[in-house]
Amino acid sequence: MNKIKISNKELEILKILWDSDQPLTAKQIYEGNSNLVLSTIQATIKKLMQKKLLEVSDIVYSGTVLTRSYSASVSKEEFVLTQFEGLEIQNLLSLFLGKQSKKNLQSEIQKIEELLEKKRK
């Protein structure tokens, strides 16, 4: 996936979907963040689908009306990685580890070492 430019509203909707453990309808997204207007959510969903960042997950009932439910097509990690494509991994890793609390630092280093060991094999 290439780097994709998205607006703040598009990112807000993606975050809501990433944080959800199930696909959501436009109305459920609105209920998750009432700072957004329902018509804006619907227009933004269309843009995200054109960018292939969202997909229709299912057709469900919302009251007595059938409506689409949506889920993100890419994980948060995949999306972030594509946004920083071309940067050197050691710089990203250094910044990432610098932001960790001392409590989490050893755990994160251990996970990274395990990943590196798997890749070596």
Side-chain angles (χ1 to χ4, degrees), residues 8-121:
N8 289 338
K9 292 208 184 313
E10 290 170 331
L11 184 57
E12 274 186 72
I13 289 174
L14 280 172
K15 284 180 179 179
I16 291 168
L17 289 166
W18 284 328
D19 291 341
S20 174
D21 57 349
Q22 62 187 18
L24 300 174
T25 64
K27 185 177 178 185
Q28 290 169 321
I29 293 170
Y30 170 74
E31 290 166 355
N33 184 347
S34 58
N35 294 330
L36 298 170
V37 178
L38 189 56
S39 60
T40 302
I41 292 171
Q42 292 166 332
T44 305
I45 285 173
K46 287 180 186 177
K47 290 178 186 175
L48 287 168
M49 289 191 60
Q50 289 170 348
K51 294 177 182 180
K52 303 204 183 313
L53 294 172
L54 283 190
E55 60 189 14
V56 175
S57 182
D58 202 1
I59 306 293
V60 296
Y61 277 100
S62 177
T64 58
V65 179
L66 285 172
T67 188
R68 296 179 183 114
S69 64
Y70 302 93
S71 59
S73 303
V74 295
S75 69
K76 185 186 313 185
E77 293 79 9
E78 289 173 313
F79 179 76
V80 168
L81 188 59
T82 61
Q83 300 309 301
F84 295 102
E85 205 166 26
L87 296 178
E88 293 191 27
I89 189 72
Q90 68 252 22
N91 293 339
L92 288 174
L93 195 53
S94 176
L95 287 169
F96 171 75
L97 291 174
K99 297 285 184 183
Q100 297 300 310
S101 67
K102 288 183 180 184
K103 177 182 169 186
N104 292 333
L105 185 59
Q106 289 303 318
S107 171
E108 292 299 328
I109 290 173
Q110 180 65 35
K111 290 175 189 174
I112 292 167
E113 288 174 342
E114 289 171 6
L115 287 171
L116 290 171
E117 192 58 37
K118 285 180 185 177
K119 289 293 182 181
R120 284 187 187 119
K121 291 180 181 180

